[in-house]
Coordinates of all heavy atoms in Angstrom, one line a residue:
I880 N -8.6 -3.5 0.9 CA -7.9 -2.5 0.1 C -8.0 -1.1 0.7 O -7.0 -0.4 0.7 CB -8.5 -2.6 -1.4 CG1 -8.2 -3.9 -2.0 CG2 -7.9 -1.4 -2.2 CD1 -8.9 -4.1 -3.3
G881 N -9.2 -0.8 1.3 CA -9.3 0.5 1.9 C -8.4 0.6 3.1 O -7.8 1.7 3.4
S882 N -8.2 -0.5 3.8 CA -7.3 -0.4 5.0 C -5.8 -0.2 4.6 O -5.1 0.5 5.2 CB -7.4 -1.7 5.8 OG -6.8 -2.8 5.2
W883 N -5.5 -0.8 3.4 CA -4.1 -0.6 2.9 C -3.9 0.9 2.6 O -2.9 1.5 2.8 CB -3.9 -1.4 1.7 CG -3.7 -2.9 1.9 CD1 -3.6 -3.5 3.1 CD2 -3.7 -4.0 1.0 NE1 -3.4 -4.9 3.0 CE2 -3.5 -5.2 1.7 CE3 -3.8 -4.0 -0.4 CZ2 -3.4 -6.4 1.0 CZ3 -3.7 -5.2 -1.1 CH2 -3.5 -6.4 -0.4
H884 N -4.9 1.5 2.0 CA -4.9 2.9 1.6 C -4.7 3.8 2.9 O -3.9 4.7 2.9 CB -6.1 3.3 0.8 CG -6.1 4.7 0.3 ND1 -6.6 5.8 1.1 CD2 -5.6 5.3 -0.8 CE1 -6.4 6.9 0.4 NE2 -5.8 6.7 -0.7
A885 N -5.5 3.4 3.9 CA -5.4 4.2 5.2 C -4.0 4.0 5.8 O -3.4 5.0 6.3 CB -6.5 3.7 6.1
L886 N -3.5 2.8 5.8 CA -2.1 2.6 6.3 C -1.1 3.3 5.6 O 0.0 3.7 6.1 CB -1.8 1.1 6.4 CG -2.6 0.3 7.4 CD1 -2.4 -1.2 7.2 CD2 -2.1 0.6 8.8
A887 N -1.3 3.4 4.2 CA -0.3 4.1 3.4 C -0.1 5.6 3.8 O 0.9 6.2 3.6 CB -0.6 4.0 2.0
Q888 N -1.2 6.2 4.4 CA -1.1 7.6 4.8 C -0.2 7.8 6.0 O 0.2 8.9 6.3 CB -2.5 8.1 5.2 CG -3.6 7.8 4.2 CD -3.2 8.3 2.8 OE1 -2.9 9.4 2.6 NE2 -3.2 7.3 1.8
I889 N 0.1 6.7 6.8 CA 1.0 6.9 8.0 C 2.3 6.2 7.8 O 3.0 6.0 8.8 CB 0.2 6.4 9.2 CG1 -0.1 4.9 9.1 CG2 -1.0 7.2 9.5 CD1 -0.6 4.3 10.4
S890 N 2.7 5.7 6.6 CA 3.9 5.0 6.4 C 4.7 5.8 5.3 O 4.2 6.1 4.2 CB 3.7 3.6 6.0 OG 4.9 2.9 5.8
A891 N 6.0 6.1 5.6 CA 6.8 6.9 4.7 C 7.0 6.2 3.4 O 7.3 5.1 3.3 CB 8.2 7.2 5.4
G892 N 6.7 7.0 2.3 CA 6.9 6.5 1.0 C 5.9 5.5 0.5 O 6.0 4.9 -0.6
A893 N 4.9 5.1 1.3 CA 3.9 4.1 0.9 C 2.8 4.6 0.0 O 2.5 5.8 0.0 CB 3.3 3.5 2.2
K894 N 2.2 3.7 -0.8 CA 1.2 4.1 -1.7 C 0.4 2.9 -2.1 O 0.8 1.7 -1.9 CB 1.7 4.8 -2.9 CG 2.6 3.8 -3.8 CD 3.1 4.5 -5.0 CE 4.0 3.6 -5.9 NZ 4.4 4.3 -7.2
L895 N -0.8 3.1 -2.6 CA -1.6 2.1 -3.2 C -1.5 2.2 -4.7 O -1.8 3.3 -5.3 CB -3.1 2.2 -2.8 CG -3.9 0.9 -2.8 CD1 -3.3 -0.1 -1.8 CD2 -5.3 1.2 -2.4
A896 N -1.0 1.2 -5.4 CA -0.8 1.3 -6.9 C -1.7 0.3 -7.6 O -2.1 -0.7 -7.1 CB 0.6 1.0 -7.2
H897 N -2.1 0.7 -8.8 CA -3.0 -0.1 -9.6 C -2.4 -0.4 -11.0 O -1.8 0.4 -11.6 CB -4.3 0.6 -9.9 CG -5.1 0.9 -8.6 ND1 -6.2 0.1 -8.2 CD2 -5.0 1.9 -7.7 CE1 -6.7 0.6 -7.1 NE2 -6.0 1.7 -6.8
T898 N -2.4 -1.7 -11.3 CA -2.1 -2.1 -12.7 C -3.4 -2.5 -13.4 O -4.5 -2.3 -12.9 CB -1.1 -3.3 -12.7 OG1 -1.9 -4.5 -12.2 CG2 0.0 -3.1 -11.8
K899 N -3.3 -3.0 -14.6 CA -4.5 -3.3 -15.3 C -5.3 -4.4 -14.6 O -6.5 -4.5 -14.8 CB -4.1 -3.8 -16.8 CG -3.6 -2.7 -17.6 CD -3.3 -3.2 -19.0 CE -2.8 -2.0 -19.9 NZ -2.5 -2.5 -21.3
A900 N -4.6 -5.3 -13.9 CA -5.3 -6.5 -13.3 C -5.2 -6.6 -11.8 O -5.7 -7.5 -11.2 CB -4.8 -7.7 -14.0
A901 N -4.5 -5.7 -11.2 CA -4.2 -5.9 -9.7 C -4.1 -4.6 -9.0 O -4.0 -3.5 -9.6 CB -2.8 -6.6 -9.6
V902 N -4.3 -4.7 -7.7 CA -4.0 -3.5 -6.8 C -2.9 -3.9 -5.9 O -2.9 -5.0 -5.3 CB -5.3 -3.1 -6.1 CG1 -5.9 -4.2 -5.3 CG2 -5.1 -1.9 -5.2
A903 N -1.9 -3.0 -5.7 CA -0.8 -3.4 -4.9 C -0.5 -2.4 -3.8 O -0.6 -1.2 -4.0 CB 0.5 -3.4 -5.9
A904 N -0.3 -2.9 -2.6 CA 0.2 -2.1 -1.5 C 1.7 -2.0 -1.5 O 2.3 -3.1 -1.5 CB -0.3 -2.7 -0.2
V905 N 2.2 -0.8 -1.6 CA 3.7 -0.6 -1.7 C 4.1 0.1 -0.5 O 3.8 1.3 -0.3 CB 4.0 0.2 -3.0 CG1 5.5 0.3 -3.1 CG2 3.4 -0.5 -4.2
F906 N 4.9 -0.6 0.3 CA 5.4 -0.1 1.6 C 6.9 -0.3 1.8 O 7.3 -1.3 2.3 CB 4.6 -0.8 2.8 CG 3.2 -0.3 3.0 CD1 2.2 -0.8 2.2 CD2 2.9 0.6 4.0 CE1 0.9 -0.4 2.4 CE2 1.6 1.0 4.2 CZ 0.6 0.5 3.4
P907 N 7.7 0.7 1.3 CA 9.1 0.6 1.3 C 9.7 0.4 2.7 O 10.7 -0.2 2.9 CB 9.6 1.9 0.7 CG 8.5 2.3 -0.2 CD 7.2 1.9 0.5
S908 N 9.0 1.0 3.7 CA 9.5 0.9 5.1 C 8.7 0.0 6.0 O 8.9 0.0 7.2 CB 9.6 2.3 5.7 OG 8.3 2.9 5.7
W909 N 7.8 -0.9 5.4 CA 7.0 -1.8 6.3 C 6.8 -3.1 5.5 O 5.8 -3.3 4.9 CB 5.6 -1.1 6.6 CG 4.9 -1.6 7.8 CD1 5.2 -2.8 8.4 CD2 3.9 -1.0 8.5 NE1 4.3 -2.9 9.5 CE2 3.5 -1.8 9.5 CE3 3.2 0.2 8.3 CZ2 2.5 -1.5 10.4 CZ3 2.1 0.5 9.2 CH2 1.8 -0.3 10.2
A910 N 7.8 -3.9 5.5 CA 7.9 -5.1 4.6 C 6.7 -6.0 4.6 O 6.2 -6.4 3.5 CB 9.2 -5.9 4.9
P911 N 6.1 -6.3 5.7 CA 5.0 -7.3 5.7 C 3.7 -6.8 4.9 O 2.9 -7.6 4.6 CB 4.6 -7.5 7.2 CG 5.9 -7.1 7.9 CD 6.5 -6.0 7.1
L912 N 3.7 -5.5 4.6 CA 2.5 -5.0 3.9 C 2.6 -4.9 2.4 O 1.7 -4.5 1.7 CB 2.1 -3.6 4.5 CG 1.7 -3.6 5.9 CD1 1.3 -2.2 6.4 CD2 0.4 -4.5 6.2
N913 N 3.7 -5.4 1.9 CA 3.9 -5.4 0.5 C 3.2 -6.6 -0.2 O 3.8 -7.6 -0.4 CB 5.4 -5.4 0.1 CG 6.1 -4.1 0.4 OD1 5.7 -3.1 -0.1 ND2 7.0 -4.1 1.4

């Protein structure tokens, strides 16, 4: 999860999002990381 957060810092529009039960890597410009 920490690596996803670090990668989000170098990918346009990316973020790490949290729901009540999950953590999601959201990468609009890097499809394999979603």
Side-chain angles (χ1 to χ4, degrees):
I880 293 170
S882 75
W883 288 351
H884 183 268
L886 286 167
Q888 309 308 304
I889 61 170
S890 181
K894 65 178 180 179
L895 206 63
H897 297 263
T898 69
K899 291 182 179 179
V902 58
V905 183
F906 284 78
S908 60
W909 203 343
L912 292 180
N913 288 299

